Every structure is written in structure tokens, then in C-alpha cells.
Amino acid sequence: NNTITNCDIYAIWCRNIQDILQISKNNELSVKFQGLNRRSVIFLEECAKPEIRDNYYITTFNNSGVIPDNAPSNMAYGIRIRNGLQSKVFCNATQFLDAGIVFEGNCSNSYFRYNTMKGEQYGLALVEGGVIGAQGSAGVPSGNIWGVNTSSITVAQTYV
């Protein structure tokens, strides 16, 4: 039940951790709304089988309610995973970011379910050849939510 707010670049950053990483049940995690660098609230690099779940408020430190629209070099991301095989990302809430959840590179066999992304340019972004594998099916949907009402709908649900 941590609260880490108003960070310059990362609230949580982990690199090359295998099979044991879990980030869960944090009350609020945020980075600054405006910045000169690309920012990520949670950034995982080369971590195998990480689990990010039940984080209640992943956001920019932004009280204005304005949807960000930053240049690519200084975008703010919620959860950003680079080359994270078998990542589990579920039951998280992101808001007021350029992209809520970003998968970069090979993140195959990942589990992406029951997340809420609102007030963002993109809810889910697959970049730099981002691959996560099949998610849900007609009988078992993924349960992700993009926007909750018309005043908070994410501008573009998915970016690939």
C-alpha cells in the first residue's frame, strides 16, 4: 500500500529481474505531468514473468484533468514493459497519461486483463515491434475498459 508521487522520470524502475517481480496494491503512483524526458510511472526492462496487478491509481501528477498530448520524446506512460516475456498486467487503473499501458518489443505470452485506462491519448500501445500474444476470445473477453464515461474516454483505444 505505497504512495509514490510527482517523480521526475520513474516511480518504479526495474531491470533484468527474472521470475520473482511483483508490483501490486499501490494506492497511487505518479510522475510529473510536464517534463523534458520520456517518463514512465512503472518501467520494466528485460524482466521475465513480472506481475503488475491491483495498482489503484497510476497517473501523472496532474490536477487539471487535461488529457496530455506531448511530443514522442517526452511522453508520459503508465506501465511500460520492454522485452518482458510472460508479463501479467491485470486489475490496474491508469489515468491522464499519453499512453496507459505500453508493451515494447517481445513481450509474448503476456496476460493483459481487467485494466481500466481513461483520459489518455492511448489506452494500450504496442511499440517497437510490440508483441503480447492473443488476448481473450469471443467467449472469454479480456475485460479491459477504455474510458468510463464520455468525459473521460481515452482518445484512441489502441496504438500499434
Side-chain angles (χ1 to χ4, degrees):
N1 293 329
N2 297 305
T3 297
I4 304 170
T5 61
N6 206 23
C7 299
D8 286 326
I9 298 177
Y10 309 116
I12 297 173
W13 175 43
C14 300
R15 185 164 194 227
N16 201 22
I17 298 174
Q18 309 300 311
D19 302 324
I20 59 168
L21 179 61
Q22 183 182 86
I23 300 170
S24 64
K25 298 184 180 178
N26 292 292
N27 293 324
E28 180 179 348
L29 301 171
S30 71
V31 293
K32 291 183 178 178
F33 177 57
Q34 298 292 336
L36 300 175
N37 300 308
R38 184 171 295 169
R39 299 165 321 284
S40 301
V41 178
I42 298 171
F43 184 29
L44 307 182
E45 294 183 273
E46 312 290 337
C47 296
K49 300 180 183 176
E51 186 173 294
I52 304 170
R53 65 178 179 88
D54 300 313
N55 293 291
Y56 308 115
Y57 192 52
I58 297 171
T59 188
T60 52
F61 196 74
N62 171 14
N63 296 323
S64 67
V66 174
I67 295 173
D69 188 17
N70 288 325
S73 63
N74 65 349
M75 293 178 81
Y77 301 136
I79 298 169
R80 181 177 167 204
I81 300 174
R82 179 184 292 158
N83 296 322
L85 298 174
Q86 299 178 355
S87 299
K88 291 183 178 180
V89 180
F90 60 100
C91 300
N92 298 290
T94 66
Q95 185 172 358
F96 300 128
L97 295 149
D98 293 294
I101 301 173
V102 178
F103 291 93
E104 291 182 36
N106 187 4
C107 299
S108 60
N109 297 316
S110 289
Y111 180 88
F112 175 66
R113 304 274 198 287
Y114 308 108
N115 298 287
T116 301
M117 298 146 283
K118 63 180 184 174
E120 298 165 339
Q121 289 296 313
Y122 305 104
L124 168 66
L126 303 175
V127 300
E128 305 294 327
V131 175
I132 60 174
Q135 302 296 311
S137 66
V140 183
S142 64
N144 293 301
I145 299 170
W146 282 264
V148 176
N149 57 50
T150 55
S151 65
S152 67
I153 289 178
T154 297
V155 176
Q157 288 82 3
T158 304
Y159 174 81
V160 178

